[in-house]
Amino acid sequence: QQPLLIDGFHYQRPPRRLPVVMNDSEVVRLLEATASLRDRALLETAYATGMRLGEVTRLLISDIDSERMTIRVEQGKGRKDRYVMLSQSLLETLRAYWRAYKPKKYLFPGDGGDRPLSVSAVQKALNKARDRAHIDKRVSFHTLRHTFATHLLEDGVSVRKIQTLLGHRSLETTARYTHLAQDYLNDTRSPLDRLRS
């Protein structure tokens, strides 16, 4: 690997690692292992929309539009607004959560209700669910975003649509999910199998 040469200094490019992705069974187990309805709603929102951790915690009640079946993501990364889809399954979970917790401003409020839930509280909820679900992969909150994108790709959604949903500036960033999609591997025949057929 060639180092970068910048102003007389050599910088080694950092290795590019593919993100961890969960399979369907692992996602189900993770969601079922949540400790509370709030935690379930939180993790379901992340997986169903592909939003980043900070975007989920900053969601307002008013960002949920059940008529248009959309969620407004205000000032995501790069200070851009965007919309993501609101699935019927997620809507049902959010309605049950709202009836139980009655949040006023933020969808997932922290203590006192006037601030969003803290990042550490979200990570704690995820880690607890992961351990209870006996998932050995290095699963973080961002894994739900990677899994969302990969599963959409496997379902035939175009890379361009996924780019818009994720709020990626560059298509190249989104295109790396093609290396994670299972059909990319399963639809490709090994030359060894050709020799033995």
Side-chain angles (χ1 to χ4, degrees), residues 35-196:
S36 67
L37 181 54
R38 184 209 67 183
D39 293 352
R40 168 119 192 182
L42 190 70
L43 299 188
E44 258 190 46
T45 300
Y47 173 66
T49 64
M51 284 192 277
R52 300 171 179 92
L53 193 158
E55 293 170 344
V56 172
T57 58
R58 288 193 309 272
L59 278 176
L60 304 174
I61 303 286
S62 56
D63 292 329
I64 311 297
D65 188 340
S66 58
E67 281 191 28
R68 293 182 62 226
M69 294 303 284
T70 60
I71 300 174
R72 176 182 166 86
V73 182
E74 194 169 328
Q75 296 296 287
K77 192 174 179 182
R79 302 200 170 194
K80 291 187 298 184
D81 296 347
R82 71 182 191 282
Y83 285 93
V84 294
M85 71 279 224
L86 170 61
S87 78
Q88 188 61 46
S89 299
L90 177 59
L91 179 59
E92 288 167 16
T93 300
L94 291 178
R95 281 177 170 160
Y97 159 73
W98 187 86
R99 284 192 297 269
Y101 289 81
K102 297 284 192 300
K104 299 281 189 289
K105 179 184 176 185
Y106 288 102
L107 185 59
F108 301 108
D111 293 335
D114 56 343
R115 290 176 180 268
L117 192 64
S118 70
V119 168
S120 61
V122 175
Q123 289 171 332
K124 190 175 177 182
L126 174 73
N127 293 341
K128 191 172 186 179
R130 182 198 60 214
D131 293 345
R132 288 172 62 168
H134 304 292
I135 296 172
D136 297 327
K137 291 177 180 174
R138 290 184 305 178
V139 172
S140 67
F141 196 88
H142 216 65
T143 304
L144 294 167
R145 180 172 162 85
H146 297 317
T147 303
F148 161 84
T150 304
H151 289 183
L152 281 184
L153 197 62
E154 290 173 346
D155 286 343
V157 178
S158 74
V159 175
R160 187 68 72 183
K161 277 186 183 176
I162 296 170
Q163 177 192 8
T164 303
L165 289 169
L166 292 175
H168 283 163
R169 187 174 296 167
S170 164
L171 187 62
E172 186 183 336
T173 306
T174 315
R176 68 182 174 158
Y177 291 107
T178 57
H179 297 292
L180 302 171
Q182 199 62 39
D183 59 356
Y184 158 79
L185 300 172
N186 293 346
D187 293 349
T188 307
R189 189 184 184 203
S190 167
L192 180 62
D193 291 337
R194 183 173 59 82
L195 294 177
R196 291 184 176 172

